[in-house]
């Protein structure tokens, strides 16, 4: 099938989650869709049949528009369950299995779920739902809950168009002309994991899926299978490095991908050098470096809205920009007065485009807080406005510490700490202070076998940062508290310094 015909088929009328694998099966047929570590291998055609079977079971238990909580273990079957719920006319509500039972109960109650699927096997073995329940791409398809780094998670109502728009470009990928395989260990219930596996399926790139990410397993898979792609979050890359990635043969990797959090440029560069641009035939020698791709997005936009590339041989991501907006998304940078800021100034990033959520489920006040009257999403991320419409990340809105009247961006302090030879990772927050309003504090995780102390790290920062940015207190910890998607839970870090932890 010609590439343009493939793109037309996927973007055509009625393109929804419920018919996605049917359409992919007509394109990719019996080519491999996924191999699950320690589990089965499925082709696109087999995956489509599984979705039809699961959908028939769900349709017997729900009405169109009902919510179906998918609380299965992390696996590719979780994706099948979500697509099947859509095919049955329901809204999928995927749940990260690393959540506590209390968090899962909150999602079930908050979503008003009619059905909870805890094991995909419970949906297997019956008839197939041959015809998907009619749906429009503008209809809400699923409810994805935020990671809950601060407060209780909120459910973003996302349309079919939002969840499929960014993957359609993958239909132009020449998958039949080259050999590729992507190693993925992301949670399907997280918007990044969902968007990545859907995009790879559309592109016809087979996936080796790790239901649980372990750095040694990921390195073994890349090395033995000669995988050409790996996609993860920055925390995974740190763990790969600590597990000895630089001592492994990872030259088969052509593309490294990252998202969900800010990727330090120097960490990306180290992985680029481990991969290669190409492997020469006959002699088998690898040449060049791999490409690094970083995406920017969030659950409220259904995945990614911007991307930046670090091509082989480039010393750093130019200007450390957030990325180039992916058409048709638009950016603007707004100050506290509600007006767009001047070049070089910091403001809040606003995003507009087809993936912006319709609202938070059952929470009109939260919806009003993030959506402007004219449809712009207030991201809560602080960026510095640059030339040609480019923006550079300055920090999370809630990661600004107001110390003595100064605004301290946590990211800048974290970067300074992580530049120390003994530091693997740092988490910077503000805690209340009677004199200064807030004071800067940091929890730090050291590299294996490294040795330093709190006073040395504070002195290190004092040599590199303005005095008001230097942490008043540093605490060395064995582990940093994380969400199920490996983001640091800043509220829990703050509790270490306020007596709540």
């Amino acid at each position: 099938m010609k590439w343009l015909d493939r793109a037309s088929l996927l973007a055509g009328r009625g393109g929804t989650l419920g018919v996605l694998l049917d359409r992919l099966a007509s394109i990719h047929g019996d080519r491999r869709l996924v191999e699950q570590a320690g589990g089965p291998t499925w082709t696109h055609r087999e995956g489509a049949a599984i979705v039809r079977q699961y959908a028939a079971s769900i349709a017997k238990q729900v009405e169109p528009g009902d919510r179906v909580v998918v609380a299965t273990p992390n696996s590719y079957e979780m994706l099948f369950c979500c697509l099947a719920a859509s095919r049955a006319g329901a809204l999928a509500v995927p749940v990260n299995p690393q959540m506590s039972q209390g968090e899962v109960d909150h999602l079930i109650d908050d979503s008003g779920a009619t059905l909870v699927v805890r094991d995909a096997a419970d949906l297997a073995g019956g008839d197939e739902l041959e015809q998907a329940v009619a749906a429009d791409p503008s209809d809400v398809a699923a409810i994805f809950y935020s990671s809950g780094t601060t407060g209780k998670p909120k459910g973003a109502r996302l349309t079919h168009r939002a969840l499929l728009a960014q993957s359609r470009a993958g239909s132009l990928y020449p998958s039949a002309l080259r050999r590729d395989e992507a190693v993925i260990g992301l949670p399907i219930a997280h918007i990044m994991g969902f968007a990545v596996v859907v995009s790879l399926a559309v592109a016809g790139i087979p996936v080796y899926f790790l239901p649980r990410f372990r750095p040694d397993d990921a390195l073994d898979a890349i090395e033995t299978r000669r995988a050409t792609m790996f996609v993860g979050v920055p925390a995974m890359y740190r763990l790969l490095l600590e597990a000895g990635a630089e001592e492994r043969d990872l030259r088969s990797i052509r593309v490294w991908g990252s998202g969900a959090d800010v990727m330090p440029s120097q960490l990306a560069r180290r992985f680029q050098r481990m991969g290669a641009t190409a492997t020469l035939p006959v002699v088998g020698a690898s040449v060049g470096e791999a490409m690094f791709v970083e995406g920017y997005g969030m659950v409220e936009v259904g995945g990614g809205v911007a991307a930046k590339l670090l091509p082989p041989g480039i010393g750093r991501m130019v200007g450390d920009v957030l990325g180039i907006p992916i058409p048709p998304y638009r950016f603007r940078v707004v100050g506290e007065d509600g007006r767009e800021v001047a070049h070089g100034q910091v403001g809040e990033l606003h995003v507009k485009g087809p993936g912006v959520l319709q609202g938070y489920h059952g929470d009109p006040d939260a919806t009003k807080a993030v959506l402007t009257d004219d449809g712009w999403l207030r991201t809560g991320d602080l960026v510095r406005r640059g030339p040609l419409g480019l923006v550079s990340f300055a920090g999370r809105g809630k990661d600004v510490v107001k110390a003595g009247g100064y605004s301290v961006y946590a990211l800048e302090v974290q970067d300074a700490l992580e530049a120390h030879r003994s530091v693997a990772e740092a988490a910077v927050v503000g805690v209340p202070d009677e004199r200064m309003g807030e004071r800067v504090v940091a929890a730090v995780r050291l590299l294996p076998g490294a040795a330093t102390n709190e006073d040395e790290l504070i002195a290190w920062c004092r040599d590199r940062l303005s005095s008001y940015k230097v942490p008043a207190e540093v605490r060395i910890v064995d582990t940093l508290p994380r969400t199920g998607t490996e983001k640091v839970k800043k509220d829990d870090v703050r509790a270490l310094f306020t007596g709540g932890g």
Side-chain angles (χ1 to χ4, degrees):
M1 181 176 287
K2 295 179 180 179
W3 294 342
L4 291 180
D5 291 340
R6 288 167 46 181
S8 176
L9 180 62
L10 289 168
R13 187 174 181 180
T16 64
L17 293 182
V19 300
L20 175 65
L21 277 187
D22 278 351
R23 295 187 176 190
L24 291 180
S26 71
I27 296 170
H28 302 302
D30 292 322
R31 296 182 61 205
R32 180 162 58 94
L33 170 66
V34 59
E35 179 181 341
Q36 193 152 268
T41 297
W42 293 295
T43 66
H44 287 263
R45 202 181 311 279
E46 290 168 339
I50 291 172
V51 169
R52 292 194 297 268
Q53 189 177 95
Y54 288 3
S57 178
I58 292 173
K60 294 174 182 176
Q61 304 176 69
V62 304
E63 298 293 331
D66 284 353
R67 274 74 66 194
V68 176
V69 166
V70 181
T72 66
N74 188 46
S75 64
Y76 212 87
E77 288 103 317
M78 176 177 271
L79 176 66
F80 292 153
C81 289
C82 291
L83 301 183
S86 176
R87 190 175 184 87
L91 278 63
V93 185
V95 172
N96 195 316
Q98 293 191 41
M99 285 183 168
S100 68
Q101 187 56 53
E103 290 173 317
V104 174
D105 290 342
H106 165 71
L107 265 61
I108 294 171
D109 292 341
D110 189 73
S111 66
T114 302
L115 174 65
V116 179
V117 179
R118 299 187 185 276
D119 189 340
D122 294 339
L123 304 177
D127 299 328
E128 295 183 7
L129 186 63
E130 293 295 340
Q131 189 69 36
V133 173
D136 188 87
S138 62
D139 292 340
V140 174
I143 301 174
F144 276 79
Y145 278 79
S146 61
S147 300
T149 54
T150 58
K152 283 189 176 296
K154 297 186 292 292
R157 293 171 60 84
L158 301 172
T159 66
H160 296 277
R161 182 176 291 116
L163 292 166
L164 292 176
Q166 61 191 296
S167 67
R168 285 179 177 138
S171 61
L172 302 177
Y173 188 82
S175 56
L177 302 181
R178 53 175 289 169
R179 182 258 172 198
D180 275 308
E181 181 179 76
V183 173
I184 306 294
L186 295 164
I188 299 292
H190 183 260
I191 193 63
M192 178 185 171
F194 187 92
V196 166
V197 294
V198 167
S199 295
L200 290 168
V202 169
I205 298 172
V207 166
Y208 184 73
F209 190 80
L210 300 166
R212 183 174 180 180
F213 175 80
R214 295 184 179 89
D216 288 331
D217 291 345
L219 291 172
D220 288 344
I222 294 170
E223 195 169 29
T224 60
R225 302 175 66 87
R226 309 312 296 159
T228 61
M229 301 179 185
F230 173 83
V231 184
V233 300
M236 291 178 177
Y237 281 94
R238 291 187 178 98
L239 292 171
L240 290 174
L241 201 61
E242 293 171 17
E246 289 175 314
E247 284 73 55
R248 298 292 199 106
D249 178 7
L250 309 181
R251 291 173 297 167
S252 62
I253 293 288
R254 305 290 178 258
V255 179
W256 301 99
S258 180
D261 209 345
V262 178
M263 183 72 182
S265 292
Q266 291 306 311
L267 184 57
R269 285 289 299 132
R270 292 176 75 170
F271 277 90
Q272 274 194 291
R273 289 190 283 267
M274 298 179 212
T277 303
T279 299
L280 299 177
V282 183
V283 294
S286 298
V287 295
E289 298 178 341
M291 177 181 290
F292 205 102
V293 181
E294 183 176 1
Y296 168 80
M298 58 190 65
V299 66
E300 286 83 359
V301 292
V305 295
K308 62 181 176 183
L309 307 179
L310 183 56
I314 302 297
R316 59 184 287 132
M317 297 184 186
V318 180
D320 284 333
V321 296
L322 193 69
I324 299 172
I326 300 170
Y329 287 97
R330 291 184 286 153
F331 287 175
R332 70 182 185 187
V333 185
V334 178
E336 293 182 359
D337 60 359
R339 299 179 180 180
E340 289 201 58
V341 303
H343 290 292
Q345 298 300 307
V346 172
E348 183 184 23
L349 177 67
H350 289 191
V351 174
K352 195 171 190 178
V356 171
L357 78 167
Q358 282 198 358
Y360 290 117
H361 184 74
D363 199 337
D365 291 337
T367 300
K368 187 176 181 179
V370 299
L371 288 179
T372 67
D373 292 338
D374 53 351
W376 288 87
L377 172 72
R378 303 180 180 100
T379 66
D381 285 340
L382 300 175
V383 298
R384 181 171 282 102
R385 187 179 177 189
L388 304 176
L390 299 177
V391 295
S392 301
F393 189 75
R396 309 292 181 194
K398 294 180 180 179
D399 280 358
V400 178
V401 183
K402 295 290 188 178
Y406 291 101
S407 293
V408 180
Y409 300 112
L411 180 65
E412 183 180 4
V413 184
Q414 286 169 195
D415 286 346
L417 284 163
E418 289 174 0
H420 191 282
R421 64 184 181 280
S422 297
V423 174
E425 189 176 8
V428 174
V429 297
V431 296
D433 184 271
E434 290 185 6
R435 186 170 63 88
M436 301 293 289
E438 286 186 300
R439 57 192 173 94
V440 181
V441 297
V444 171
R445 183 171 63 85
L446 301 183
L447 290 165
T452 186
N453 58 55
E454 290 85 351
D455 290 341
E456 180 183 327
L457 292 174
I458 291 173
W460 172 269
C461 290
R462 193 172 290 122
D463 290 339
R464 288 160 178 80
L465 298 170
S466 302
S467 58
Y468 64 89
K469 299 178 183 178
V470 175
E473 185 179 354
V474 170
R475 183 170 298 186
I476 295 174
V477 297
D478 293 330
T479 59
L480 290 171
R482 298 187 184 279
T483 67
T485 52
E486 298 300 321
K487 288 185 180 179
V488 174
K489 299 177 74 171
K490 290 296 185 80
D491 281 351
D492 287 0
V493 172
R494 193 172 288 109
L496 295 174
F497 298 89
T498 58

